[in-house]
Amino acid sequence: MKQILLINAAGADRPGVTSVITQVLGRYDAAILDIGQAVIHDNLALGLLVAIDTGRVSEPELLAELQGATVKLDINVRFTSISYDSYEHWVELAGKARYIVTLLAREVTAHQIADLTEVTVQHGLNIDNINRLSGRISLDSIDDRASACVEFSVRGEPADREALRADFMELSTRHEADIAFQRDTVYRRNRRLVCFDMDSTLIEAEVIDELAKAAGVGEQVAEITELAMRGELDFNESFARRMALLKGLDESVLEGIAANLRITEGAEKLISSLKKLGYKTAILSGGFQYFGEYLQKKLGVDYVYANTLDVVDGKVTGEVKGQVINGERKAELLKMLAEREGITTEQTIAVGDGANDLPMLGASGLGIAFRAKPLVKASAEQSISTLGLDAILYLMGFRERDQIL
C-alpha cells in the first residue's frame, strides 16, 4: 500500500532547496507523482505530490526530518495527506479539455484578474497554472507603450462558449485590456506561417486613401473605404469605385507615399522574432503590390500578394492588373501558401482588421482581429486592440525572454 502526501515548501529562493528535499524523500524510495515550483520576487513555492510505501516512515517522522533538513535554508515545510479516491479523481481529470486564457494590457491590475477569474469560475473552468509571459518592468518605465501579459491554463469545457466569449469581450472593453481564449493544442507553439493584411495592420494607414489625397479625391475615397471596412459595402464594388477615382494619378507620387508609411507598433519586433524562430511570413493585401514589396524589403517578409496598379505612360488608369485580391482570394492564398510550405492550415496564423479579412482569419488555425472594426472584432476568434502587433507572440505562448530580436 502507498501513502500519498502533498508536500508544500515555501520561503526565500536559494540554491539547493529542491535537492535537499528530494534527497530526504529518496531515502524512502518516494515516487514523485507531481511537482511544480514558482518564484515570485525571490520567494519560492515548491509543491510535490509523492507516494511512499506504508510502514516505511510515519508522517510526523518524515515531516520532522524535512524540517530539520531545510531549517538552515529558511524554508517552511508542511504536509497534507491525500486519500486514494481523491488522487484517482485527480488522475481522471487529466483527460479533460484544456484552454489558454491570455490577459493582455499596458499594465495588469488586480481588478482585471479578479473579474477574469470570476468569469472562468462562473463558466465551470478550473485554473491549473498562472504564468507571467511579459518581462519584468521597472516602475519608472511603465508608459503608454508598455506591454504586460499573464497566461492562465484552465481545465474543463464551458457549457456555452459564445456566452463565455461575450463575457470576456465585456471585460476587455471595461478594463481596456484584451482577453484571448483558445484551446491548448499541440499546434499552439507549432504554427509555421503568419499571414498579415497590410493596410491598417502592418501599417497605420490605408494606402488607397493616401493615393486619393494625392489625386485630390481624398474625402470621396475615404468614405467608400470606411463603408467597406465595416462590411457595409462589398469589397469588389468598393474597390472598383475607389480605383476609378484614382484615374490619371501620376505614378511619381508612389515613392513618396511609401517612404512616409508608418509601421504599426510592434510589427518590426514581431516579424524579426518570427523569422529568427523559423516562421514564414506573408502579406496578403487588398492594397497594392508596390507598397507590399516596399514593406517586404523593409521588414523581411517572405511572400507578398496584393493588387498591381495598371499604369500607362506614367499615369494610373484606374484599373488593376490580374485578379482582384478580395477576402475570398486572401483565404485561397493562405491555403496555397500552407500547401507550399508543407503544413496544415491549423499551423497558420492570420492577422487583419477589415471585413475583407474575415475569410482569411476563419481559414487559419489562429485568426486575430487587430485593432479591428466592431464587426470584425465580434466575428473573429481572437482580437488585439490594446497592445502592438508583437503581442501576437504572447498568444503563441512565447515569453518575453523567448522573443529573439
Side-chain angles (χ1 to χ4, degrees):
M1 288 289 292
K2 299 281 187 180
Q3 55 181 327
I4 304 170
L5 300 172
L6 175 61
I7 302 171
N8 293 106
D13 180 36
R14 59 188 64 191
V17 175
T18 306
S19 176
V20 166
I21 291 175
T22 51
Q23 282 178 19
V24 172
L25 294 171
R27 288 199 288 271
Y28 299 99
D29 296 324
I32 306 298
L33 305 176
D34 198 12
I35 184 169
Q37 177 177 301
V39 176
I40 298 178
H41 193 62
D42 297 329
N43 280 265
L44 173 145
L46 170 66
L48 301 99
L49 188 65
V50 304
I52 301 177
D53 287 335
T54 304
R56 287 294 303 268
V57 63
S58 69
E59 289 184 32
E61 289 174 333
L62 182 57
L63 178 58
E65 191 170 345
L66 284 170
Q67 288 175 336
T70 57
V71 66
K72 292 182 180 179
L73 297 174
D74 195 25
I75 295 293
N76 295 314
V77 179
R78 64 184 179 86
F79 277 14
T80 302
S81 182
I82 305 297
S83 71
Y84 176 83
D85 289 342
S86 176
Y87 174 74
E88 288 301 315
H89 176 69
W90 175 77
V91 171
E92 290 171 4
L93 292 176
K96 283 200 171 184
R98 290 184 179 273
Y99 292 88
I100 297 295
V101 180
T102 310
L103 172 64
L104 303 163
R106 295 296 180 184
E107 181 182 22
V108 172
T109 69
H111 282 305
Q112 293 167 348
I113 292 181
D115 288 350
L116 184 153
T117 52
E118 182 180 6
V119 167
T120 61
V121 171
Q122 289 173 349
H123 286 271
L125 301 173
N126 185 69
I127 298 172
D128 282 340
N129 293 291
I130 303 175
N131 293 297
R132 171 178 52 84
L133 300 189
S134 49
R136 300 176 183 180
I137 300 176
S138 167
L139 292 177
D140 296 328
S141 67
I142 296 176
D143 56 27
D144 60 359
R145 288 289 173 126
S147 297
C149 175
V150 177
E151 178 186 275
F152 303 79
S153 176
V154 302
R155 184 180 65 241
E157 192 68 62
D160 187 337
R161 287 195 62 176
E162 286 304 310
L164 174 63
R165 189 167 175 273
D167 286 345
F168 278 153
M169 186 169 291
E170 188 277 328
L171 289 185
S172 296
T173 302
R174 177 151 48 93
H175 287 298
E176 296 184 356
D178 294 311
I179 301 173
F181 179 76
Q182 54 181 315
R183 186 178 285 277
D184 191 8
T185 70
V186 67
Y187 293 113
R188 183 163 178 255
R189 292 189 61 165
N190 192 33
R191 295 189 167 103
R192 310 310 310 159
L193 170 68
V194 186
C195 299
F196 299 92
D197 172 48
M198 180 172 65
D199 298 49
S200 296
T201 300
L202 280 179
I203 57 174
E204 295 182 346
E206 292 288 329
V207 169
I208 198 166
D209 291 349
E210 300 305 309
L211 293 173
K213 291 174 188 175
V217 291
E219 289 187 9
Q220 298 102 299
V221 168
E223 183 178 339
I224 299 170
T225 299
E226 184 64 21
L227 291 172
M229 296 300 288
R230 294 202 304 260
E232 298 175 15
L233 188 63
D234 173 74
F235 177 82
N236 286 7
E237 179 187 350
S238 70
F239 188 67
R241 285 168 56 180
R242 287 177 290 175
M243 285 301 303
L245 290 168
L246 298 180
K247 185 176 181 178
L249 177 67
D250 198 289
E251 183 184 19
S252 62
V253 305
L254 303 184
E255 183 178 355
I257 290 174
N260 287 293
L261 292 175
R262 290 185 58 186
I263 306 297
T264 298
E265 175 193 356
E268 292 170 296
K269 177 182 176 181
L270 171 61
I271 293 177
S272 173
S273 293
L274 290 173
K275 285 180 65 65
K276 290 173 181 176
L277 290 166
Y279 289 74
K280 293 292 186 178
T281 56
I283 293 173
L284 307 182
S285 174
F288 302 107
Q289 188 75 14
Y290 179 93
F291 301 96
E293 291 176 356
Y294 173 85
L295 287 175
Q296 181 179 33
K297 294 175 184 176
K298 186 177 181 68
L299 299 175
V301 176
D302 295 293
Y303 301 103
V304 176
Y305 291 89
N307 295 302
T308 301
L309 281 168
D310 185 42
V311 178
V312 176
D313 297 330
K315 300 289 184 181
V316 173
T317 67
E319 303 285 343
V320 294
K321 296 179 180 178
Q323 182 179 357
V324 172
I325 296 184
N326 55 19
E328 289 68 28
R329 181 58 179 159
K330 286 186 179 186
E332 291 172 1
L333 288 167
L334 180 143
K335 294 173 184 176
M336 180 199 75
L337 289 175
E339 185 175 352
R340 179 181 298 180
E341 292 295 327
I343 61 175
T344 68
T345 55
E346 187 65 34
Q347 293 175 276
T348 67
I349 297 172
V351 189
D353 71 302
N356 67 316
D357 294 311
L358 285 173
M360 174 177 73
L361 302 187
S364 67
L366 176 62
I368 303 168
F370 179 74
R371 297 181 182 176
K373 304 299 182 289
L375 169 68
V376 182
K377 187 175 180 179
S379 302
E381 191 70 18
Q382 311 296 343
S383 67
I384 295 175
S385 299
T386 307
L387 303 184
L389 276 171
D390 52 327
I392 290 169
L393 292 166
Y394 294 137
L395 296 191
M396 297 167 70
F398 290 108
R399 294 175 180 269
E400 184 75 28
R401 63 173 178 256
D402 300 327
Q403 299 171 22
I404 305 170
L405 302 179

